[in-house]
Amino acid sequence: MNFQQLRIIRETVRQNFNLTEASAALYTSQSGVSKHIKDLEDELGVQLFVRKGKRLLGLTEPGQSLLGIVERMLVDAENIKRLADDFNKVDEGTLTIATTHTQARYVLPPIVNQFKKLFPKVHLILQQASPTEIAEMLLQGEADIGIATESLTTEENLASVPYYQWQHSIIVPQSHPLSQEREITLEALSNFPIITYHGGFTGRSKIDKAFEEAGIDVDLVMSALDADVIKTYVELGMGVGIVNDVAYDRERDYRLKQIKTDIFGLNTTWIAVRKGHLLRGYGYEFISLCSPEADTKALKRVAYPDE
């Protein structure tokens, strides 16, 4: 048994049992992948995959049991490398942050600026994705840290801490009838077409819940993945925007009026890491810069209890 065989088992499952795609992802030949699988099955004396001819259809019961062990072994192998790097190259390496457009565009710039001053030799990668995709990237080991409002607290294999709390704001053109109102009600909003986030993004569930509980039907004319797109179409007069309150820039959005409101409740954005995934020291420093109140030692204990 060797690590290449374990990587092949994991990648074959990730690629939905397509050996061509698994071999491409591992930069090896399909025949090599098939041979490694057969050699491992022969060594263990059990069949790991359900087959139909030469095609793999899924995992057998022993294969399903083995997969969890394989995942843990490969994560621990990566942690050993990180542990050595922590002693050998304290301030060098790569840190991958998976987050949404709103966080990357409006929240993280000052944090990233501070971090790069502290760790100029660390290559920082910002991956923008949906909350569901962010959780999956963490679980698959494709990102070190995830930042989002949804999805990160519902995965049992992720450990998370609060980042910050926020509310939605109403965005309208300066000449809009609502621009002169100090307080906006759900009833008043329902008189106009609405443009807001796509389902599963940036507190959209809170918006839907508020209207549903009030028994109010709304004309949702457009949904988008990020606030910049929403504001663009609000500026064109297509509807009233509902966005994260941090997504309004007074200088850049001077054609628009922001109306703050608490009618959609309070939202929490979370920082998460995968349990069992050991971050380099500068990874925990990044989390501390985001949220000075975050107990990174407690997060480390939850994420990596054996550390």
Side-chain angles (χ1 to χ4, degrees):
M1 184 186 305
N2 57 57
F3 278 105
Q4 180 64 0
Q5 290 172 330
L6 302 184
R7 293 188 189 96
I8 285 172
I9 296 297
R10 180 177 67 179
E11 197 59 42
T12 299
V13 175
R14 287 183 177 181
Q15 300 300 332
N16 200 28
F17 307 101
N18 186 313
L19 293 182
T20 301
E21 294 183 4
S23 60
L26 294 169
Y27 302 101
T28 188
S29 65
Q30 183 173 334
S31 60
V33 167
S34 297
K35 185 177 186 305
H36 274 298
I37 291 174
K38 186 177 185 307
D39 287 346
L40 182 58
E41 289 182 324
D42 289 344
E43 180 181 347
L44 297 176
V46 294
Q47 186 172 319
L48 300 175
F49 292 93
V50 178
R51 291 174 169 83
K52 183 176 183 180
K54 293 184 178 181
R55 290 177 54 207
L56 302 185
L57 302 180
L59 288 170
T60 62
E61 186 175 346
Q64 292 172 358
S65 298
L66 178 68
L67 181 63
I69 299 172
V70 167
E71 292 279 6
R72 291 195 297 272
M73 290 178 68
L74 292 176
V75 167
D76 281 340
E78 292 167 1
N79 286 337
I80 291 171
K81 293 179 182 178
R82 290 190 183 90
L83 190 62
D85 286 342
D86 263 346
F87 285 98
N88 296 324
K89 296 181 180 179
V90 176
D91 297 337
E92 296 181 33
T94 300
L95 183 66
T96 302
I97 312 294
T99 188
T100 61
H101 169 87
T102 296
Q103 312 305 330
R105 165 69 178 82
Y106 293 101
V107 179
L108 290 179
I111 304 300
V112 170
N113 188 38
Q114 285 180 271
F115 180 83
K116 289 301 292 181
K117 288 178 180 177
L118 291 172
F119 303 98
K121 294 183 180 180
V122 174
H123 178 50
L124 189 64
I125 301 173
L126 281 181
Q127 295 270 27
Q128 294 184 51
S130 72
T132 302
E133 290 169 337
I134 292 167
E136 189 62 24
M137 290 172 70
L138 289 172
L139 294 171
Q140 298 294 341
E142 298 170 0
D144 300 303
I145 297 172
I147 302 174
T149 301
E150 290 89 359
S151 299
L152 300 186
T153 59
T154 57
E155 288 285 350
E156 63 176 329
N157 289 320
L158 298 181
S160 58
V161 292
Y163 183 177
Y164 69 99
Q165 292 188 312
W166 58 273
Q167 293 179 318
H168 289 96
S169 282
I170 310 301
I171 303 292
V172 295
Q174 291 285 359
S175 59
H176 194 276
L178 292 179
S179 65
Q180 304 304 314
E181 300 291 333
R182 283 191 168 186
E183 294 186 8
I184 304 294
T185 64
L186 291 171
E187 290 78 5
L189 273 180
S190 67
N191 293 321
F192 302 93
I194 301 294
I195 305 173
T196 191
Y197 298 104
H198 187 67
F201 278 76
T202 321
R204 168 64 189 273
S205 60
K206 289 283 187 74
I207 297 172
D208 293 341
K209 183 179 180 182
F211 283 114
E212 183 180 341
E213 289 184 346
I216 297 174
D217 292 327
V218 293
D219 180 16
L220 184 63
V221 294
M222 183 179 293
S223 60
L225 303 184
D226 65 70
D228 289 342
V229 173
I230 294 170
K231 290 186 293 185
T232 296
Y233 289 97
V234 170
E235 194 171 325
L236 289 174
M238 292 184 60
V240 172
I242 305 174
V243 299
N244 184 326
D245 57 4
V246 303
Y248 177 80
D249 186 312
R250 187 181 297 275
E251 292 184 5
R252 296 187 181 188
D253 300 326
Y254 63 92
R255 294 186 182 89
L256 299 173
K257 173 75 177 291
Q258 179 188 42
I259 307 169
K260 295 196 173 186
T261 180
D262 60 1
I263 58 177
F264 299 113
L266 204 59
N267 297 273
T268 301
T269 294
W270 298 84
I271 303 173
V273 298
R274 176 183 172 176
K275 292 180 181 178
H277 179 79
L278 180 63
L279 289 181
R280 301 280 299 278
Y282 52 72
Y284 292 106
E285 184 62 29
F286 184 91
I287 294 174
S288 293
L289 289 173
C290 289
S291 180
E293 302 83 19
D295 188 345
T296 54
K297 290 184 179 179
L299 177 62
K300 193 173 183 180
R301 286 195 299 270
V302 173
Y304 199 73
D306 296 329
E307 170 63 11

